[in-house]
Amino acid sequence: MTTVSIGAWRFTLRGAELADLEYDGEPVLRAIRFVTRDHDWRTADDIVLTQTLSSGPGSSGRLRIEASARYDGTEVLRYTLEVTVDGPILRVDATGTTTTPFRRNRIGLVVLHPPTLAGVPFTARHPSGSATAAAFPTWIAPHQPAQDLSGLDWSTGRVALTLDLAGDVFETEDQRGWTDASFKTYSTPLSEPFPVALDAGSVVHQSLTLRATTDDRPGGTASPAPDLAFLDGPAPTAVVAPPPTLQLLAASAPAAARRADARPLGVPVLVEPVLGDPNVGAVLASARRDAGGGPLDVRFVTDDPDRLRAAIDDVLAGGPVVRIGAFDPTLHVTTPALQQALLDTAAAAGDLEVVAGTRAHFTELNRTVDLFRDWDGPLTFSVTPQMHDRSPEQVTESIRMQRWVVMSASRLAAGRALHVGPVTLRPRFNAVATSARPVVTDATVEAGYGPQFVADATDPAQHSAAAAAWFRASVRALTVPGVASITLAEAWGPRGGPLPG
């Protein structure tokens, strides 16, 4: 990392990203970056090829970055960022050229705003020349708080900012729903069709201009700062009782990786069988071995209520079960038809707990909460910090956002209990893929299953001391009133991790 200071501007170079931008000592942006996302919304790995910084007269200067965007080591695009600073104006010109035929969902500039702007008003400017008054949302917004953008105007501390955008139509979304510490202004609206097939040699050109004005009068340009005390320290009440039950996710690694002398875990084990796959019985049997006689928390993946009812009968006959849930394989939420099947089963079984919600991020629960207006039982969602960014900074900063997420979820739950998890370092499945899910033909789990075959599901740092500390911090952040359980990493294997002490 390199710190760059030009006049009143200061920022950190993290690879090809301009991070932690300040003007006149005031933090103004989290980052400016150029992002390539493929047909399954995977973010390319960027490798900086050249980087040249030159000073101009007075408070001016120029930075040129050339980088390569790659998937699994294969380049798909090269891009150049020309960063020009002239007094209070910072301009970024970006040009990207595909180097191979490529299906993209998005290519272009991204601006990350700090989450501390929550509640701060802004003006959204549109290509038509009109403008709309709005605010960065305090509680996590399910949908874009600003669309059809050619620019934004807002203030932070002593600095008023004007952002002009060119080369595409932009919009802003609330990335806190994925535990990213940012609001994101990005190009290519989600209303546009995707993926788009590009030939080699296709060119994308975009630019942004950021103008800053300092006001040192008492109060300056500042908007009232939001009260964010709930993000740090203990839960918002003095006592969280009872504390949430800690669980682990069933291991999905090849069977040969299981240690012969492994002890029973002594905690419930969450397992996610996909009904219709030939390995359902093997998946459940493997989870039973992980639990060592303890109960399973079974979350079926299916769109068939009748098949779900039959599968629940079978699993209840096979051993102790603490909880049952179900999610549609495409929508990743508990549809009303699945909710009814769960309620029917709970009524027949007597004291069986059933859970509904999403197996994906809080974003999906936030966007579909109307589906659960007649559901009185517990709700669930999972947590993973690396949906958009795999940097260490992203993983670390996600801890504070987990508290924001669980507090937002508690508001949606309106008194209903929350079962949070699995909490994993990397996504255990791709909730937004446009590619079809691979067909499973193996009736065993000898080669593994599920996350074992998901690209980028395994974090190289999974078994590090830093990862163990991260999981402990996650438990603290997610422990708030109403959270009944927290499910962490897999029981063993490359995606496993010990329970926090």
Side-chain angles (χ1 to χ4, degrees), residues 369 372-379 409-410 412-418 482-483:
V369 70
F372 307 100
R373 58 183 177 273
D374 298 324
W375 177 265
D376 293 330
L379 293 171
S410 182
L412 292 185
R416 292 169 285 187
L418 291 171
V483 174

Side-chain angles (χ1 to χ4, degrees), residues 94-272:
T95 303
T97 305
T98 55
T99 55
T100 187
F102 174 63
R103 286 193 299 154
R104 63 87 175 153
N105 286 348
R106 178 176 301 145
I107 297 175
L109 287 169
V110 166
V111 175
L112 300 183
H113 311 268
T116 48
L117 289 179
V120 171
F122 65 81
T123 299
R125 288 178 281 111
H126 309 296
S128 65
S130 62
T132 304
F136 292 98
T138 299
W139 295 108
I140 298 172
H143 301 289
Q144 287 79 358
Q147 294 177 296
D148 189 32
L149 291 176
S150 60
L152 288 170
D153 305 322
W154 75 100
S155 64
T156 177
R158 301 156 35 246
V159 177
L161 296 150
T162 296
L163 175 66
D164 295 318
L165 304 158
D168 201 342
V169 177
F170 288 71
E171 59 190 22
T172 300
E173 73 181 6
D174 192 340
Q175 287 206 131
R176 297 173 300 168
W178 293 273
T179 69
D180 294 49
S182 59
F183 303 98
K184 178 174 70 177
T185 298
Y186 59 91
S187 63
T188 314
L190 285 172
S191 58
E192 294 291 326
F194 61 86
V196 174
L198 301 177
D199 295 327
S202 299
V203 177
V204 174
H205 179 238
Q206 297 176 3
S207 65
L208 65 84
T209 303
L210 186 63
R211 295 175 175 84
T213 304
T214 303
D215 188 342
D216 284 317
R217 294 174 300 173
T221 64
S223 301
D227 182 4
L228 305 180
F230 68 87
L231 294 177
D232 300 301
T237 63
V239 178
V240 179
T245 299
L246 295 185
Q247 306 186 160
L248 288 175
L249 181 61
S252 62
R258 184 194 298 270
R259 290 179 50 184
D261 60 347
R263 299 184 194 176
L265 294 171
V267 299
V269 169
L270 190 154
V271 61
E272 301 174 300

